[in-house]
Amino acid sequence: MNKKGLKDQDNRFRRIWVKLNRNKTALFGSTLIVIYFLSALLAPVLYPGSPSAPNLIRSLEPPSLEHPLGTDELGRTILGRIIHGSRVSLVIAVGVIMVGLLIGVPLGLISGYYGGKIDFGIQRVTDMLLAFPGFLLALALVAVLGVGLKNTITSIGISMVPIYIRLVRGCVLAIREETYVEAARAVGTRDAAILFRHILPNVMVPITVQTSLGMGTAILFAAGLGFLGIGVQPPTPEWGAMLGSARAYIFNAPHVATFPGIAIFLAVLSFNLLGDGLRDALDPRFKI
Amino acid sequence: MLHYVAKRLLFTIPVLIGISLLLFFMLRMLPGDPAQVLAGQMATPEEIQTIRQQLGLDRPIHIQYASFLGRLARLDLGLSARTQNPVIQEIWARLPNTILLAMTAISLACLFGIPAGILSAVRPYSWIDYIVTIAALFGISMPVFWLGLMLVVVFSVILKWLPAGGTGGWQHVILPSITLASFVVAFIARMTRATMLEALSQDYTTTARSKGLTEKTIIIKHALRNALIPIITVVGLQFGLLLGGAVLTETVFAWPGLGRLIVDSILARDYSMIQGTILIFGLLYTLVNLAVDLIYAFVDPRIRYD
């Protein structure tokens, strides 16, 4: 991309940034995301000590000054587990997005740019993966790979890959006919350079929107797997797994199930608000 | 019309092949001997050998795949390692429960989502629009399993109005279907609002208004009919989400459907059952997509002449 192209790109990002700053709900979402990130990064400072160490004599205590969100069935403070749980869900969300991006984006670029048999092959594999709803695909992959943090990330990440392939391919199909791509091709620029230096920067905005929405979905899917007992395993403080074990105590200690759910809800809501805001800033026609 | 239906049925074949390939390679991706995996950990060497012969695991991969397709066509999905019953028999026993839950949830979602979206579009940026938009965002972000648990706390534990789980009378369906519908209703309301806003700004709406038609006629006869296609698409697509949500909802409410079956099978490493339930979920999703495409042709006559 030449100097003018870079300047245009800068202006575009600036316009999006200004629009985003005017959107109150997107700002609220961004604030929640900052709190979520800080809580994950500062977990050992905010709640020193092990969040998994049991203290059976204090089990199922309601919220109090000492334990603002109460304690769980093993007497562990729920607030501490939620704070440490934000680390786990952040690791999962980032990991899932990395899997989706690293596999989906290059395949989408190649599929859209080269077309022909390569495109046909990649699209049929994408069709195959899209034949299953996302959560069920992740569930099927967990059944094969097994439970645990790494397999949770891999399974949900693979279920995100077809979304990125379709998104990037669609954008590339339009961009590859642009004059600057033809000009780059005419002066003998290598395909890899065209793809990564000229085309990729122009698909970054839709990828960013999808990434924000995808982070929310990843947290929701991971919590779902954890809740079913086939995601991250106890005693790791994962929000979904916390809800899963709280089910048994819902009749006599409903607070155990209430707070981890609010944490999941707020984390997903924040990424959805930011994603919606980004989409509105990108194209007002998409405003719903 | 018949030509359109035939064409659409043909398009389903590659998807079905895709599903079969995924299921076929699913077992082969597992570490170790697929026969041992299918037979379960308690199986005797003779049982493992029988399964190996049945599956033709010693034969070339394309022959194995052909034989796999043959068994799928006969709905021979093997025996459950957990219960030793035929997989298909257990699936048939549970399928009606999942369909009942899914259909009730999707009906509830349409019943609330479409009118909410219309109201929101007719009065854009009013208090009702803000309420619908916020409620939709909350619905999309809320974990269904948590909402289910909270509904149990309120309606079963505190108010004691409805049962906390299981099956029986119509009361047992209420909480699970509200839980499942909550997720889908948000998407339907958002899509209805967006497409209705667009339809209400079109020239034909202005013409209808200038002819002196009532607002009700304009909204229902002119705008909604034109906005229906994207709404139907979203309802069809949401059916997939609904199947995923059914797995979680059935777990919360101990609802004996396919969702609960697949989770139990994963926990018990019962791979024949996992394969069978995933196949049925995939087929259900494909059939719903096919039905959605066929409904298009009824709703919009332009489509069948394309």
Side-chain angles (χ1 to χ4, degrees):
Chain A
M1 206 184 289
N2 58 23
K3 232 175 186 176
K4 188 178 175 299
L6 280 172
K7 204 177 166 190
D8 287 348
Q9 186 84 358
D10 273 358
N11 284 339
R12 195 175 171 211
F13 278 118
R14 199 165 298 142
R15 273 201 306 276
I16 292 169
W17 179 246
V18 170
K19 278 187 186 173
L20 198 62
N21 269 319
R22 283 192 198 137
N23 187 332
K24 282 179 191 153
T25 50
L27 273 181
F28 176 65
S30 311
T31 313
L32 282 179
I33 291 172
V34 170
I35 295 171
Y36 169 62
F37 269 75
L38 283 176
S39 133
L41 290 173
L42 303 174
V45 182
L46 294 170
Y47 184 79
S50 168
S52 305
N55 183 7
L56 289 170
I57 48 165
R58 318 270 331 236
S59 68
L60 300 176
E61 279 184 9
S64 62
L65 277 177
E66 195 185 346
H67 300 292
L69 305 182
T71 59
D72 68 4
E73 70 280 9
L74 295 176
R76 300 168 297 193
T77 175
I78 294 173
L79 179 63
R81 286 182 65 75
I82 287 179
I83 290 172
H84 281 267
S86 62
R87 294 195 126 190
V88 181
S89 75
L90 184 67
V91 167
I92 293 174
V94 173
V96 163
I97 293 301
M98 292 309 286
V99 173
L101 284 174
L102 290 176
I103 304 175
V105 172
L107 285 176
L109 284 172
I110 291 167
S111 183
Y113 185 71
Y114 289 105
K117 281 181 188 165
I118 296 176
D119 181 37
F120 183 84
I122 293 174
Q123 289 316 305
R124 292 303 72 79
V125 175
T126 311
D127 282 344
M128 192 171 90
L129 293 173
L130 287 173
F132 292 95
F135 186 71
L136 282 177
L137 182 62
L139 205 71
L141 290 166
V142 162
V144 175
L145 299 171
V147 297
L149 179 71
K150 207 172 82 184
N151 291 339
T152 300
I153 293 174
T154 314
S155 307
I156 304 174
I158 292 174
S159 76
M160 297 260 173
V161 167
I163 301 168
Y164 280 105
I165 294 179
R166 279 283 154 90
L167 176 76
V168 174
R169 177 183 177 267
C171 297
V172 174
L173 284 178
I175 293 169
R176 73 175 185 187
E177 307 301 334
E178 292 284 339
T179 324
Y180 60 84
V181 176
E182 273 183 42
R185 219 178 283 140
V187 295
T189 313
R190 282 182 304 118
D191 283 351
I194 294 176
L195 279 171
F196 289 99
R197 279 179 47 202
H198 298 277
I199 295 180
L200 185 61
N202 284 293
V203 294
M204 280 316 285
V205 177
I207 288 176
T208 312
V209 175
Q210 180 52 45
T211 298
S212 179
L213 297 170
M215 293 275 280
T217 310
I219 294 170
L220 212 51
F221 278 17
L225 293 178
F227 175 77
L228 294 173
I230 49 180
V232 178
Q233 296 296 295
T236 310
E238 197 273 325
W239 294 340
M242 284 167 75
L243 266 178
S245 36
R247 263 177 68 211
Y249 308 96
I250 194 129
F251 291 96
N252 51 350
H255 70 274
V256 187
T258 307
F259 299 113
I262 294 175
I264 301 169
F265 168 62
L266 288 178
V268 179
L269 179 72
S270 62
F271 285 109
N272 283 344
L273 286 174
L274 180 66
D276 273 2
L278 278 169
R279 190 166 45 193
D280 289 349
L282 170 70
D283 187 345
R285 283 175 306 165
F286 283 130
K287 191 175 169 63
I288 16 183
Chain B
M1 183 68 190
L2 213 64
H3 175 71
Y4 174 77
V5 174
K7 202 169 85 177
R8 193 52 196 78
L9 276 172
L10 274 178
F11 283 154
T12 312
I13 294 172
V15 181
L16 294 177
I17 292 174
I19 293 174
S20 70
L21 275 169
L22 199 76
L23 289 173
F24 179 72
F25 283 109
M26 196 181 114
L27 277 185
R28 276 139 191 96
M29 273 163 61
L30 289 165
D33 177 6
Q36 166 80 62
V37 167
L38 277 175
Q41 285 169 349
M42 309 298 281
T44 60
E46 291 76 28
E47 284 168 340
I48 296 169
Q49 186 54 32
T50 312
I51 289 181
R52 190 171 289 120
Q53 278 169 357
Q54 274 174 0
L55 298 180
L57 290 172
D58 45 353
R59 286 182 290 169
I61 196 95
H62 62 278
I63 303 211
Q64 285 184 40
Y65 179 62
S67 126
F68 174 73
L69 282 183
R71 280 183 289 112
L72 277 191
R74 295 193 306 274
L75 286 177
D76 172 12
L77 301 170
L79 292 178
S80 158
R82 195 161 50 107
T83 62
Q84 292 304 314
N85 289 328
V87 166
I88 197 70
Q89 190 183 314
E90 298 222 7
I91 287 175
W92 283 142
R94 299 216 181 194
L95 186 61
N97 287 334
T98 296
I99 290 180
L100 171 71
L101 188 59
M103 294 315 282
T104 320
I106 205 99
S107 309
L108 270 179
C110 290
L111 202 67
F112 288 96
I114 296 175
I118 294 173
L119 275 177
S120 194
V122 171
R123 305 253 180 280
Y125 308 109
S126 64
W127 63 269
I128 198 159
D129 184 24
Y130 285 121
I131 288 178
V132 171
T133 309
I134 292 169
L137 249 171
F138 275 38
I140 288 166
S141 310
M142 201 172 288
V144 279
F145 45 97
W146 180 64
L147 177 68
L149 289 176
M150 292 300 106
L151 289 176
V152 168
V153 169
V154 175
F155 292 100
S156 310
V157 180
I158 299 173
L159 298 171
K160 300 191 192 319
W161 286 355
L162 292 163
T167 49
W170 56 270
Q171 301 97 319
H172 290 84
V173 190
I174 297 176
L175 290 184
S177 48
I178 291 176
T179 305
L180 198 50
S182 69
F183 196 50
V184 182
V185 74
F187 283 98
I188 294 176
R190 276 160 70 111
M191 183 50 87
T192 307
R193 180 187 184 272
T195 50
M196 279 297 285
L197 269 181
E198 201 177 331
L200 286 168
S201 66
Q202 295 294 313
D203 288 345
Y204 55 77
T205 312
T206 317
T207 312
R209 227 171 244 138
S210 64
K211 274 162 60 184
L213 295 179
T214 61
E215 204 57 27
K216 195 175 147 192
T217 314
I218 294 168
I219 292 166
I220 294 172
K221 278 199 165 175
H222 294 263
L224 185 61
R225 280 181 77 169
N226 281 287
L228 264 181
I229 289 275
I231 298 172
I232 294 170
T233 310
V234 127
V235 172
L237 285 175
Q238 295 321 305
F239 195 81
L241 276 180
L242 213 109
L243 292 177
V247 176
L248 294 157
T249 309
E250 287 179 6
T251 305
V252 173
F253 293 98
W255 182 266
L258 284 185
R260 188 64 228 159
L261 184 64
I262 194 171
V263 176
D264 288 343
S265 311
I266 292 173
L267 290 171
R269 297 189 156 264
D270 183 353
Y271 287 99
S272 298
M273 191 61 85
I274 296 170
Q275 227 181 8
T277 30
I278 289 173
L279 170 77
I280 298 297
F281 272 126
L283 282 178
L284 274 178
Y285 191 41
T286 310
L287 284 176
V288 169
N289 281 334
L290 176 68
V292 166
D293 273 9
L294 297 181
I295 292 169
Y296 287 164
F298 282 107
V299 175
D300 189 344
R302 285 170 299 185
I303 289 176
R304 67 183 99 130
Y305 298 115
D306 274 354

